[in-house]
Amino acid sequence: MSTITFDAVSHTFGERTVLRDIALQLTEHRIGIVGANGSGKSTLARMINGLVTPTKGTVTVDGLNVSRRAKEVRRLVGFVFTNPDNQIVMPTVQEDVAFTLRRRGLDSAEIERRTATALERFGLADHAEHPAHRLSGGQKQLLALAAVLVADPRVVVADEPTTLLDARNTARIQALLAGLEQQVIVVTHQLELLAEFDRVIVIEEGRVVADAAPSDALPEYLALIG
Amino acid sequence: MIGLYSPGRSLIHRAPVLMKLALLSVGVVGAGLLSDAAQLSVGFAVLVALFALSGVPPVRAWQQVAPVLWLLVIAAPLQVLFAGWAVAGMMAGRLLLAVALAALFTLTTPVTTVLDGFQALLKPFRRWIDADRVGLLVALTIRCIPLVADIIREVLEARRARGTQGSLLALAVPVVVRSLYAADAIGEALAARGIDD
Ligand SMILES: Nc1ncnc2c1ncn2[C@@H]1O[C@H](COP(=O)(O)OP(=O)(O)OP(=O)(O)O)[C@@H](O)[C@H]1O
Ligand SMILES: [Mg+2]
């Protein structure tokens, strides 16, 4: 597994401090991040691939400073957003997955092969040439995941990947995330997703208030909000 | 709608993209030069033959061309009024022919192929133009059409649900705001996918 390190990270948007003095070393296979709306989870998650640069402190992925070497870090860290509509760039399913592999110095046969494998794996092979924006919400999130994983990142960060999905698709995405060899970091409000995870971090008003195995951290979080 | 590729293996699907683009340009210019009904009917015969050869389902072809008919419904009567039936008919025919040719191109050519075509075309100029960027711009433009269409539909629905009617401005503001948000989010997603250099 990779090592993601937050070293004395604080962040302010204008006057508002949204993260305070975060120190974390993330090495576990599956890590969940929970917390109330506006507590700073997304801001924290986005720092891992440089979508947000901390105003204080540093974030590193396997020793690479994210703010200085964002481009390299983004090849190691795949990011799945809540709304897959914003992640889909190309008109058809197959093209969108292949798009991830452009500019990586692969020849077109290799791109085609890897794209086909990814579509097969996510049950999208039958939709390869369909317009991406006509897929169902669940299929779009599968496509987003396929488009991230086709590049074979070391870490997958997902910010509420199942919030827009129904129960069945949530279960499906959950199973896929849980089955990944890659290190997985999931932000979610659906606590049951995290039962089998290795570690759960609870954020409250920009601070880490609990950090333990789910069997300990989740009850603490429930007590906090209950 | 633009960007709806209709998969197939016909001669037209397989023709090299730059050749198709060149022929399309010739076809569109040619359509504009047609000057009487006889020439126009030859043009339409060629068009029908091409569509038949491509094997694109007629429904798909119709979906592409139908929106232009609305334009003609408005424009043609004006032309009739100002210039007479003959001129109006020719104008409508030429326009329809050109649009149908363009539709045939988009229906038989995946966007990725168009991007690769652009790349090849712009290669001699690569010191001044980044072909990848141009390609990405084209792809994103095509992508944004259904996205903005969805936003407009949702805003209209929300308006109806709240029982508010109102000015064009009341429609335009949420549409523009949401489009800007979407653009922001897409930019972020592009960065996350490593396309921001
Ligand atoms: N780009 C921004 N500009 C200004 N303020 C921001 C920005 N992004 C987030 N914030 C603020 O930072 C705080 C933390 O936001 P963040 O999105 O990290 O919360 P979150 O824990 O992910 O919440 P949620 O569960 O609702 O997704 C919020 O108060 C939010 O308003
Ligand atoms: Mg969030």
Side-chain angles (χ1 to χ4, degrees):
Chain A
M1 292 301 123
S2 296
T3 302
I4 299 158
T5 310
F6 285 76
D7 183 21
V9 169
S10 295
H11 193 71
T12 53
F13 285 114
E15 298 283 278
R16 264 186 81 103
T17 303
V18 297
L19 289 176
R20 298 160 210 268
D21 217 14
I22 304 281
L24 286 168
Q25 181 117 6
L26 308 177
T27 53
E28 291 78 4
H29 188 173
R30 283 165 299 188
I31 300 171
I33 299 177
V34 297
N37 288 135
S39 56
K41 304 178 299 296
S42 296
T43 309
L44 184 84
R46 285 157 179 265
M47 286 177 174
I48 299 174
N49 73 343
L51 292 176
V52 174
T53 304
T55 42
K56 255 204 227 143
T58 53
V59 180
T60 58
V61 176
D62 285 342
L64 294 173
N65 184 324
V66 177
S67 42
R68 262 185 248 129
R69 305 173 70 177
K71 200 174 159 192
E72 285 154 88
V73 169
R74 283 175 186 150
R75 297 219 160 174
L76 304 179
V77 180
F79 201 100
V80 179
F81 295 83
T82 309
N83 184 354
D85 263 321
N86 296 329
Q87 202 161 346
I88 296 169
V89 183
M90 298 294 274
T92 65
V93 171
Q94 178 260 335
E95 287 176 277
D96 192 66
V97 175
F99 180 72
T100 305
L101 298 175
R102 286 179 84 86
R103 287 201 172 196
R104 287 187 190 240
L106 300 170
D107 63 52
S108 56
E110 178 67 12
I111 290 181
E112 208 165 303
R113 195 185 61 72
R114 285 206 207 177
T115 302
T117 314
L119 290 178
E120 193 68 47
R121 179 171 170 207
F122 291 93
L124 292 169
D126 289 343
H127 299 284
E129 295 193 329
H130 293 179
H133 68 277
R134 294 275 172 84
L135 295 176
S136 75
Q139 288 171 328
K140 281 182 187 170
Q141 197 57 292
L142 284 170
L143 171 57
L145 210 50
V148 165
L149 285 165
V150 73
D152 206 15
R154 280 193 221 159
V155 184
V156 176
V157 180
D159 188 0
E160 301 195 34
T162 54
T163 297
L164 301 176
L165 306 183
D166 65 16
R168 173 190 293 198
N169 282 306
T170 298
R172 181 152 194 206
I173 296 285
Q174 176 185 10
L176 278 167
L177 286 173
L180 292 179
E181 296 165 9
Q182 279 93 348
Q183 187 173 19
V184 177
I185 297 171
V186 182
V187 176
T188 187
H189 294 291
Q190 294 164 309
L191 304 184
E192 62 280 6
L193 299 192
L194 306 176
E196 305 285 308
F197 274 39
D198 303 303
R199 179 177 175 185
V200 170
I201 294 165
V202 182
I203 310 280
E204 173 71 14
E205 296 191 351
R207 290 181 210 278
V208 176
V209 293
D211 180 359
S215 53
D216 293 328
L218 291 177
E220 264 187 72
Y221 175 50
L222 289 172
L224 190 74
I225 58 179
Chain B
M1 187 70 60
I2 294 183
L4 290 191
Y5 171 62
S6 172
R9 302 256 74 224
S10 76
L11 188 66
I12 300 185
H13 282 84
R14 285 178 288 133
V17 58
L18 289 181
M19 186 174 104
K20 273 200 275 192
L21 259 181
L23 287 177
L24 174 64
S25 325
V26 172
V28 169
V29 172
L33 294 177
L34 299 179
S35 59
D36 63 41
Q39 290 178 4
L40 200 59
S41 34
V42 172
F44 273 101
V46 172
L47 180 74
V48 170
L50 286 174
F51 264 99
L53 183 62
S54 74
V56 171
V59 185
R60 299 291 302 277
W62 172 249
Q63 284 168 346
Q64 298 270 320
V65 180
V68 183
L69 294 181
W70 284 109
L71 187 70
L72 290 182
V73 166
I74 299 164
L78 286 177
Q79 284 271 338
V80 173
L81 210 60
F82 291 117
W85 279 106
V87 176
M90 282 305 296
M91 187 261 326
R94 287 191 297 239
L95 188 65
L96 214 54
L97 201 57
V99 170
L101 282 173
L104 182 64
F105 177 80
T106 50
L107 283 168
T108 59
T109 320
V111 174
T112 312
T113 316
V114 181
L115 299 193
D116 292 342
F118 266 109
Q119 217 144 10
L121 195 65
L122 293 177
K123 213 167 202 160
F125 312 103
R126 71 173 155 241
R127 280 180 52 196
W128 303 283
I129 307 173
D130 181 348
D132 257 348
R133 290 244 146 175
V134 176
L136 188 62
L137 194 68
V138 175
L140 283 177
T141 308
I142 293 171
R143 165 76 189 113
C144 283
I145 290 168
L147 204 66
V148 173
D150 277 349
I151 291 175
I152 292 176
R153 189 175 46 71
E154 280 170 26
V155 169
L156 281 174
E157 276 171 9
R159 236 160 66 121
R160 223 171 299 135
R162 291 165 54 180
T164 49
Q165 295 296 314
S167 64
L168 197 61
L169 192 67
L171 172 67
V173 169
V175 167
V176 168
V177 168
R178 289 198 38 193
S179 301
L180 289 176
Y181 271 117
D184 227 22
I186 290 175
E188 224 169 35
L190 280 176
R193 286 175 81 169
I195 330 268
D196 61 334
D197 42 319

